[in-house]
Amino acid sequence: MRQPPDRANKPTRVFVLTNADCTRRRLDVARLRNYFLANGCELADSAAEADRVVVVTCAYTEKAEDLAVEMVRDLARRPESLIVAGCLPAINPRRLREVFSGAAVPTHSLAGIDRCFPGFSVPFASVEDGHRAGPAALVPSVRPSVLLRTIGRRPFFAARMFLKKRRIDRFRRSQYYIRTSWGCRGACSYCVIREAIGPLQSKPVEDCRRELLAAVASGQAGVVLDGDDLGAYGLDRGSTLPELLRALLAAEGGCVLDIEEINPRWLVAYVDELAPILSTRRVRSLCCCLQSGSGRVLRLMNRYAETEKISAALVKIRSAAPALKLSAHVIVGFPSETEAEFEETIRAVEAGGFASVLVFGYQDKPGSRSAGFAGQIPAAAIAGRVKRIHSRLSRRGVDVL
C-alpha cells in the first residue's frame, strides 16, 4: 500500500481490533500488536488514523457473525488498507466475499499475516503469545453507524450483549493468560469453530513453564491456563494435561493457576491424577463445559454423555479440593430438548457444586449439524428457559452469567 507523501519514511501505523467476546481472539489481537511493534510499527488508536487495519473477527454464533460482517463492511471503505483475520474467513468465506474481497487470514493460519507484510524482518511465528485479553467494543468501528444499525435491528440483543460483555470484560482485563494449545479434537454438532481453529497443536511443556516463570518474575500471583481444547493438551506430542500441571506447579515462585474450559470427558479420564494436584490448593479455579445434564442431549451434541461418571468425577474433585472454585458452561434449548431434560441440566449444576455458571441459549448456526436437527425450539421458548435457569440457580446462590 502506497503511503501519502506526509507519511513517507515514517513508521507504519496499524490499528488492530476485534468484535470477539472470546478470550482467544482477544489474545490473538494482543499477539498481533506485539508483532507489529516488533517490526517497528506504531499502534494507532482508530482506523481513521491508521495506514493498515487488521480486524480479528468472531463468527461463533450467527449474531456474532452478523456483527463481524457489519464491521468489515464499514471498514472496507478503504479496502486496500484492510486485512480480515479471525474466524469469519474460514467459517463463512462466501459471506465475507460479499462485503470484502481483499486480504484474509483465518485463525488456523494466523502466521500467514507475514504475506501481507513482506518487508517485515520478525516473523509472526517468533512473536510470543499475548498474555492480556483486552476489551472488545460492542462494535469497534471507525464510525458509530454500525452500532446504530445493530441497535436499530436488535435493540434487546444489543442491550443484553453490552451488559454481559461489560461484566466479563472487567474480569478478563485483570487476568494473565498462558495459552497452552490451539485447535480442538472435538466435533460438537452445534459448533463450526473447528473449521476456523484447526486441529490440536499443543505448546511444549517447557515453553509453558518458561512463560509461567516470566509471569512470576513480573509480579503475577496467578495465571489462567487457556486453550481451545485444554483438557486434550499434549495428546499431539505424547504428553497430558496432568503432566503440564505438575510441571507448572513445580516451578519456583508459588504462582496459583486457574484452569479454563475443560470438556468433562477429560475430567473423567484424568480424575485420579487431577485430584491430588488440585488438593495442593495451588489451583484456584476450574471451569467445566458441562453443556447439558441430559445424556440424550449430550449425545445429540456429540459430546461425552456418561453423566454418572461426570458427576462422580466432580464429587471426587470437590472432596480433594473443597476450596476450589468450580464453574460451568451450559446450553439450554438445544433442538428437541424436553422440559424434563432442561430440569436435568439445572439439577446437574446444583449437584455439581458450581459457584458460577455461564448460560447460553442455543443459537442455530448455519453450517452446523445441529442446524438440521428435528425439534428446533422457538426462540421465545429458549429465552424463557434462560430466564428460568437464571432465576432458579440464583436463588441457590449460584452466580449466573
Side-chain angles (χ1 to χ4, degrees):
M1 175 183 172
R2 181 177 298 173
Q3 293 186 343
D6 63 337
R7 290 292 302 155
N9 301 318
K10 292 185 179 180
T12 301
R13 293 178 298 187
V14 185
F15 183 48
V16 189
L17 69 163
T18 183
N19 72 306
D21 275 330
C22 79
T23 299
R24 286 146 214 151
R25 300 294 74 76
R26 297 190 192 195
L27 291 174
D28 288 342
V29 168
R31 188 177 183 186
L32 283 165
R33 287 173 176 159
N34 291 340
Y35 168 68
F36 290 118
L37 289 172
N39 282 286
C41 298
E42 292 180 353
L43 297 180
D45 293 326
S46 70
E49 300 173 359
D51 302 309
R52 304 299 300 270
V53 176
V54 181
V55 55
V56 179
T57 56
C58 173
Y60 179 65
T61 65
E62 188 171 8
K63 292 184 176 70
E65 183 180 301
D66 289 345
L67 291 174
V69 170
E70 288 291 297
M71 185 166 62
V72 171
R73 188 198 310 274
D74 200 57
L75 293 167
R77 297 167 193 262
R78 294 170 52 205
E80 73 284 354
S81 72
L82 181 61
I83 299 167
V84 178
C87 296
L88 181 61
I91 289 177
N92 201 336
R94 177 195 58 79
R95 194 171 180 199
L96 173 60
R97 286 194 298 270
E98 291 174 357
V99 296
F100 178 68
S101 58
V105 184
T107 297
H108 60 67
S109 303
L110 200 53
I113 194 79
D114 289 337
R115 293 192 295 272
C116 301
F117 299 92
F120 281 8
S121 60
V122 180
F124 181 80
S126 69
V127 177
E128 187 171 295
D129 282 324
H131 298 294
R132 297 285 188 184
L138 174 61
V139 184
S141 172
V142 65
R143 279 172 286 274
S145 55
V146 175
L147 175 60
L148 294 175
R149 286 198 297 269
T150 302
I151 292 175
R153 293 173 184 173
R154 299 191 182 94
F156 296 108
F157 162 68
R160 286 198 307 271
M161 189 174 71
F162 173 76
L163 293 173
K164 178 179 178 180
K165 185 189 73 64
R166 186 172 63 175
R167 183 178 178 187
I168 294 173
D169 274 353
R170 284 198 298 266
F171 171 76
R172 284 177 173 161
R173 279 198 293 269
S174 67
Q175 305 302 299
Y176 188 97
Y177 292 88
I178 293 178
R179 296 183 80 169
T180 65
S181 57
W182 302 263
C184 181
R185 288 170 59 96
C188 300
S189 64
Y190 55 83
C191 184
V192 295
I193 199 72
R194 195 170 187 272
E195 297 298 319
I197 62 177
L200 179 69
Q201 298 180 62
S202 301
K203 187 181 292 183
V205 169
E206 188 52 40
D207 287 359
C208 295
R209 184 176 180 277
R210 176 180 51 78
E211 291 183 28
L212 178 71
L213 291 172
V216 172
S218 70
Q220 296 298 319
V223 301
V224 181
L225 301 184
D226 186 73
D228 295 301
D229 192 356
L230 181 57
Y233 172 85
L235 297 182
D236 57 321
R237 52 172 61 248
S239 184
T240 64
L241 177 64
E243 181 181 333
L244 172 66
L245 294 176
R246 284 191 288 265
L248 296 180
L249 293 177
E252 298 177 1
C255 197
V256 297
L257 306 177
D258 296 292
I259 302 175
E260 283 215 333
E261 299 181 19
I262 289 187
N263 188 313
R265 86 163 49 245
W266 305 115
L267 289 185
V268 173
Y270 295 138
V271 66
D272 289 336
E273 291 183 82
L274 287 174
I277 293 171
L278 299 175
S279 70
T280 64
R281 301 176 67 91
R282 295 276 305 284
V283 177
R284 184 168 45 193
S285 68
L286 185 150
C287 176
C288 174
C289 296
L290 199 64
Q291 308 306 31
S292 178
S294 161
R296 187 190 75 87
V297 172
L298 288 169
R299 285 188 289 274
L300 284 176
M301 291 178 172
N302 199 34
R303 290 179 64 83
Y304 184 78
E306 300 291 336
T307 55
E308 291 185 0
K309 291 183 179 179
I310 295 170
S311 297
L314 288 169
V315 168
K316 189 165 188 175
I317 286 171
R318 289 200 314 274
S319 176
L324 178 72
K325 181 180 179 182
L326 282 170
S327 61
H329 291 180
V330 298
I331 298 171
V332 300
F334 193 79
S336 79
E337 178 191 64
T338 65
E339 277 291 324
E341 289 165 336
F342 168 65
E343 291 290 333
E344 284 185 82
T345 296
I346 296 178
R347 289 196 296 272
V349 174
E350 292 173 337
F354 297 104
S356 63
V357 59
L358 184 57
V359 177
F360 297 91
Y362 173 77
Q363 295 182 36
D364 226 7
K365 179 62 178 171
S368 68
R369 281 178 292 156
S370 63
F373 286 179
Q376 298 286 330
I377 297 174
I382 293 174
R385 290 184 184 180
V386 170
K387 184 176 180 179
R388 283 157 54 199
I389 194 171
H390 269 254
S391 177
R392 291 267 297 276
L393 294 177
S394 294
R395 289 200 300 269
R396 293 289 297 266
V398 178
D399 184 20
V400 186
L401 296 170

